[in-house]
Amino acid sequence: MPQPTNRVFSGVQPTGNLHLGNYLGAIKNFAALQHTHECIYCVVDLHAVTVELVQPQLKAQTREIAAAYLAAGIDPERNIIFNQSQVREHSELAWLFNCVARMGWLSRMTQFKDKAGKDAEQASVGLFAYPSLMAADILVYRATHVPVGDDQKQHLELTRDIAAKFNHDFAARIRELGHGESYFPVTEPIIEGAATRVMSLRDGTRKMSKSEPSDLSRINLTDSADDISKKIRKAKTDPEPLPEDSKELGDRPEAKNLVGIYASLADVTVEEVIAEHGGKQFGAFKPVLAELAVERLSPINREMRKLLDDPGHVDSVLNSGAARAREIASVTIKEVRDIFGFLG
Ligand code: AMP
Ligand code: TRP
């Protein structure tokens, strides 16, 4: 199969509490890319079981991510939306990539260290091998571009390392089988916008995260308008007004975060936000931000609720997406099996 030149792949884990960071750092960009690229968006349920083994809400959480994709405006006819575990080729390629990736590479992954915490001996092997599966997700479609938040940068570098080692070690077979000079592309990350790293509303030095115990730290995509306003009102800030120059945001993490959120929601630059709101006290800026957040998130929230009232529809989107994904992935697996030299 010829290499695609313009194919986007990305994924979100169905681990509950989908939040503003996921939306601004990832899903909002997913929707924008459908106008220029061929896009494949996945609910990565196999990744979701690397930390929490037993997940009674897995089906509901999988539907929630799919509903968020749809509510954000991703067209499931033009693009592919599906859940990872339905396409077994991801797991097969992940195993092969476990044999390409080196222990040293995976040992350096900061997300593993963060998630494993102090007792790495107790972490699952799946959590350690997580980046191999992520590389397989992307490369089983030979995707060229991957939109993600800033925290995934290191995993995407590892994806490139795996592709490069595979292309190098199997160079002769790849050429012999007529695939040209390399089989897997060097995937480009797309980490763009004013909110590639949305921080906690309670602590501007910590990332907004699904697992943070305080619900006040994040805006969930399922929050009501009242909750959104309340959380922004209560967001931690420093006592100074907004600066007149965006460079002065550098050492003010909470102010920088709220301005970045505003810029991303309004589709303007940080400089434009400062030009309009610089000098304002937070008492004046927060209500404007809350209004904007409610205006942008409410339609998504409403559409997600509507979709989740009809799980049958969401399931059929995922099932037909999986069938289309499998058609592409199965060709890659066949070719990769051939490159490795497996019998049959
Ligand atoms: P996850 O929920 O870990 O599967 O993340 C899904 C997507 O959201 C990935 O592209 C992440 O990089 C992105 N993301 C997660 N948290 C944040 C955040 N606080 N700010 C920006 N992007 C984020
Ligand atoms: N690791 C990503 C995250 O936590 C989710 C993910 C899995 C992903 N597979 C992917 C993202 C492939 C982009 C491409 O956010």
Side-chain angles (χ1 to χ4, degrees), residues 54-74:
V54 181
Q55 299 237 17
Q57 299 303 317
L58 189 55
K59 286 197 173 100
Q61 289 170 187
T62 300
R63 291 185 186 113
E64 184 184 324
I65 306 293
Y69 287 170
L70 296 169
I74 299 167

Side-chain angles (χ1 to χ4, degrees), residues 47-96:
H47 279 110
V49 296
T50 53
V51 174
E52 220 42 78
L53 183 59
V54 181
Q55 299 237 17
Q57 299 303 317
L58 189 55
K59 286 197 173 100
Q61 289 170 187
T62 300
R63 291 185 186 113
E64 184 184 324
I65 306 293
Y69 287 170
L70 296 169
I74 299 167
D75 176 353
E77 306 288 325
R78 265 179 56 182
N79 308 282
I80 296 180
I81 295 179
F82 74 107
N83 59 313
Q84 186 188 28
S85 64
Q86 288 210 63
V87 181
R88 290 173 178 73
E89 284 79 0
H90 290 237
S91 302
E92 184 167 352
L93 190 58
W95 174 257
L96 299 175

Side-chain angles (χ1 to χ4, degrees), residues 10-13 15 19 21-22 25-26 44 130 147-152 195-199 207-210:
S10 197
V12 176
Q13 302 182 71
T15 36
H19 56 72
N22 298 129
V44 288
Y130 177 118
V148 282
D150 176 75
D151 60 351
Q152 295 303 308
T196 56
R197 191 174 179 83
V198 177
M199 308 309 277
K207 204 176 61 165
M208 185 177 284
S209 132
K210 290 171 176 171

Side-chain angles (χ1 to χ4, degrees), residues 96-109:
L96 299 175
F97 283 173
N98 279 337
C99 301
V100 176
R102 305 287 101 180
M103 288 292 288
W105 301 358
L106 291 173
S107 305
R108 283 191 282 277
M109 294 293 115

Side-chain angles (χ1 to χ4, degrees), residues 12-13 31 92 104 110 124 138 147 152 199 207 213 217 222-223 228 257 262 268 287 295 299 309 312:
V12 176
Q13 302 182 71
E92 184 167 352
T110 55
S124 70
I138 297 165
Q152 295 303 308
M199 308 309 277
K207 204 176 61 165
S217 70
T222 47
D223 280 348
I228 296 175
N257 190 36
Y262 187 104
V268 299
E295 182 193 311
D309 275 344

